[in-house]
């Protein structure tokens, strides 16, 4: 019986996580001026690195919250916080590099790596701060 309870907890957290990642991807691609999906399909590495960094910057805190949450509602709330933090990361990077989207569209590797690195770094810091 305990195994069934654990399997139910796993499936509820796992599928909730998948849904939260899809929501993140939807929202993130709407706030960025460049079209990540099109650029990635065109083999634009700058867009790929920036997008992977943002995705990892969201998934890392999400994983931390899954470990530390007390229930599914707690998990959803902290997952929303992680989403907002990643959206803020892009906004702040844009303050420092105003034309970051154009640079990514032009496949400037440094721009994509910088965005991806900052996104992942903030995600790791975010995950550590969500450990309670």
């Amino acid at each position: 019986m305990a195994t069934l309870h654990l399997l139910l907890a796993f499936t509820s957290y796992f599928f909730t996580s998948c849904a939260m990642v899809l929501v993140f991807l939807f929202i993130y691609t709407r706030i960025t001026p460049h079209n990540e999906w099109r650029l990635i399909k065109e083999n634009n590495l700058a867009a790929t690195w920036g997008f992977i960094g943002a995705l990892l910057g969201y998934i890392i805190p999400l994983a931390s919250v899954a470990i530390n949450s007390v229930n599914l509602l707690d998990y959803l709330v902290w997952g929303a916080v992680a989403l907002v933090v990643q959206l803020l990361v892009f906004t702040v990077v844009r303050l420092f590099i105003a034309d970051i989207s154009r640079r990514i569209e032009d496949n400037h590797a440094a721009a994509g790596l910088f965005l991806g690195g900052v996104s992942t770094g903030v995600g790791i810091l975010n995950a550590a701060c969500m450990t309670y």
Side-chain angles (χ1 to χ4, degrees), residues 2 13 17 22 27 33 38 43 60 67 79 86 89 92 94 99-100 112-113 118-119 122 125:
Y13 273 83
S17 300
L22 290 174
I27 293 171
R38 178 183 55 79
N43 201 33
I60 292 168
I67 294 167
Q86 277 305 306
V89 167
V92 170
R94 252 182 111 181
D99 62 343
I100 186 118
L113 281 171
V118 171
S119 297
V122 170
L125 181 61

Side-chain angles (χ1 to χ4, degrees), residues 19-87:
M20 291 170 71
V21 168
L22 290 174
V23 168
F24 168 77
L25 292 173
F26 178 80
I27 293 171
Y28 187 83
T29 57
R30 295 305 180 272
I31 68 134
T32 57
H34 54 279
N35 184 332
E36 285 89 353
W37 298 117
R38 178 183 55 79
L39 294 170
I40 291 169
K41 288 176 185 177
E42 293 173 357
N43 201 33
N44 181 312
L45 290 178
T48 303
W49 290 324
F51 199 44
I52 287 171
L55 183 59
L56 290 175
Y58 180 65
I59 290 175
I60 292 168
L62 209 55
S64 176
V65 171
I67 294 167
N68 293 294
S69 66
V70 294
N71 56 41
L72 206 51
L73 179 60
D74 185 49
Y75 181 60
L76 289 167
V77 168
W78 286 106
V81 170
L83 187 147
V84 169
V85 168
Q86 277 305 306
L87 300 179

Side-chain angles (χ1 to χ4, degrees), residues 90-132:
F90 180 77
T91 303
V92 170
V93 168
R94 252 182 111 181
L95 293 175
F96 289 101
I97 306 173
D99 62 343
I100 186 118
S101 285
R102 183 193 55 76
R103 290 178 187 217
I104 287 173
E105 286 176 343
D106 292 342
N107 205 11
H108 292 189
L113 281 171
F114 181 75
L115 176 61
V118 171
S119 297
T120 304
V122 170
I124 291 168
L125 181 61
N126 193 12
C129 293
M130 290 180 172
T131 303
Y132 46 89

Side-chain angles (χ1 to χ4, degrees), residues 1-12:
M1 228 28 170
T3 303
L4 184 60
H5 177 71
L6 293 174
L7 185 59
L8 181 60
F10 164 78
T11 56
S12 61

